[in-house]
Amino acid sequence: MDLDTREWQRRDASHHLHPFTDHQQLRDKGARIITRGEGVYLIDSEGRRILDGMAGLWCVNMGYGREELIAAAERQMRELPYYNLFFQTAHPPAIELAGLLAEVTPPGFNQVFFTGSGSECNDTVLRMVRHYWACQGKPERQVIISRRNAYHGSTVAGASLGGMRGMHEQGSLPIPGIVHIDQPYHFGEGQGMSPHEFGVARARQLEQKLLELGPDKVAAFIGEPIQGAGGVIIPPESYWPEVQRICDHYGILLIADEVICGFGRTGSWFGCDTFGIRPDFMCLAKGITSGYVPLGAVMVSDRVAGVIERGGEFAHGFTYSGHPVSCAVAIANIRLMQKESIVKRVHDRIAPYLQRRWAELSALPIVGETRGKGMVAALEIVQDKHSKTRFPATAHAGLTCREFCFDNGLVMRAVGDTMIISPPLVITETEVDNLVDLARRSLELTAERLLV
Ligand SMILES: *Cc1c(COP(=O)(O)O)cnc(C)c1O
């Protein structure tokens, strides 16, 4: 079917409810119809090439159109398109991927529970954490502590663990037993403290909350090594070591939501490697298959797995847990990452280049800060550079900039007035130059529009 753009938009508006979308607005404007992907570029229904600065939704790490992944899916579909893992059965792709994940994740992770998405990973973790404590004879350890403005997915448990106010307001969330402390967002909430002091102060909120609730009531702490959807919030160096110390001291479990950070995004295989975190659980999705097919995986540490394995039946699982096609693509994706030494390339070459070029944008009058780590980066749009004053909300500075980006052929996302990028890991230096040039031009147009 090869329709023109207007017809695609009309049909889309007639029958399709989109995720995280105001449909009134979308109908007035019409959806952008993306028809193809090539390397780091998208092609839309008008034939325009758009540099995908977000790697889809933080996931197309190895780029679009990789033959190795396509061939793996096709081969597996012919061989065994589906079977489940519930009733004492298994299949080769799930078995092989479990071993491969044990190999690439940090020492102490040798067991994996498969899911279909990042949200399902967090649902799984919530249940597994409470089950773990029940098996230990401490069923009263129920509470999971998270952070405001965290993102842990959109299922009921995922959105509850997350700290997005807009999501909590719809559907009476969070569910009981989940509490939130403040995030380590220095630019937005630093209150004149040095990054070091601020990082420690925000980590100590975990200890205060633990003492307030009673440490024997708390099951776990969950956090993204770098908050992604919340606006690429990179914690000060002092933050994670202090969180780790507190978790160790009070014996609570530590959950690292690596759905974005995992598979090379931060310049190491996992965000935990980058920040020296030693978690009990790691939630993986997105980059595990470069987004080609849906898959999630919860890595369970030896200490927890030992208890779960002795705890009788863990009454949990999904029809698509360890779907054979998803596992086959994940295996091909990880093998391709290894073959191309992509993590080393990111760490040694392309991330330093991206970060150096990105930091040049901090000279622009409407940029209050640039920051980044590995292959994620953010910048803060401000009205006044020196006082770091924001534009009034009615100016919609972030959305204005995002629209200019799209018009100029770049996908850059806006979280409020924070602009964020997370390009494919395979991006080249020339493509980084292109990305930064397009971002600069869009920021200049935004400044012209808003600083009248
Ligand atoms: C995207 C994301 C999720 C949710 O993953 P889905 O596959 O959309 O369910 C969970 N945690 C983090 C950190 C994410 O970025």
Side-chain angles (χ1 to χ4, degrees), residues 317-368:
F318 303 102
T319 303
Y320 300 125
S321 284
H323 190 287
V325 178
S326 301
C327 290
V329 173
I331 294 163
N333 184 57
I334 295 169
R335 295 265 182 245
L336 186 61
M337 289 179 70
Q338 290 173 325
K339 190 174 123 214
E340 299 191 350
S341 303
I342 192 74
V343 179
K344 185 169 160 44
R345 177 179 176 276
V346 163
H347 180 273
D348 293 353
R349 235 181 77 197
I350 201 74
Y353 188 74
L354 173 72
Q355 297 303 341
R356 185 158 59 72
R357 296 284 348 254
W358 185 255
E360 291 169 17
L361 298 172
S362 67
L364 292 170
I366 65 162
V367 175

Side-chain angles (χ1 to χ4, degrees), residues 58 116-120 122 151-154 224 229 257 259-260 285-286:
W58 323 83
S117 69
S119 301
E120 288 176 7
N122 287 314
Y151 189 77
H152 296 299
S154 200
E224 305 151 79
D257 184 340
V259 170
I260 287 175
K286 294 193 171 125

Side-chain angles (χ1 to χ4, degrees), residues 181-331:
I181 58 175
D182 288 325
Q183 58 179 335
Y185 179 26
H186 186 258
F187 180 85
E189 303 174 7
Q191 303 153 334
M193 279 186 245
S194 73
H196 180 87
E197 285 174 305
F198 177 72
V200 172
R202 285 289 151 108
R204 295 253 165 96
Q205 280 196 13
L206 173 59
E207 189 159 39
Q208 285 150 20
K209 187 56 84 180
L210 265 159
L211 295 172
E212 176 192 320
L213 296 165
D216 55 340
K217 297 288 190 296
V218 177
F221 174 74
I222 183 168
E224 305 151 79
I226 293 172
Q227 286 159 259
V232 181
I233 292 162
I234 302 167
E237 297 278 334
S238 57
Y239 181 77
W240 277 112
E242 186 62 8
V243 167
Q244 183 76 57
R245 181 193 68 77
I246 294 163
C247 290
D248 292 347
H249 182 78
Y250 295 95
I252 67 167
L253 299 172
L254 177 53
I255 306 156
D257 184 340
E258 294 260 9
V259 170
I260 287 175
C261 294
F263 299 96
R265 179 60 58 191
T266 67
S268 322
W269 271 89
F270 297 95
C272 291
D273 302 323
T274 298
F275 290 97
I277 310 166
R278 289 173 284 103
D280 298 286
F281 295 92
M282 295 196 336
C283 297
L284 312 177
K286 294 193 171 125
I288 193 171
T289 59
S290 283
Y292 279 47
V293 284
L295 181 70
V298 179
M299 297 305 301
V300 183
S301 67
D302 294 344
R303 130 165 121 130
V304 173
V307 172
I308 300 290
E309 281 172 349
R310 288 190 307 273
E313 179 181 329
F314 178 47
H316 177 76
F318 303 102
T319 303
Y320 300 125
S321 284
H323 190 287
V325 178
S326 301
C327 290
V329 173
I331 294 163

Side-chain angles (χ1 to χ4, degrees), residues 361 404 408 434 436-446:
L361 298 172
F404 279 127
N408 288 326
N434 189 9
V436 173
D437 290 345
L438 293 171
R440 177 188 301 277
R441 195 179 321 150
S442 307
L443 286 159
E444 284 167 354
L445 289 167
T446 306

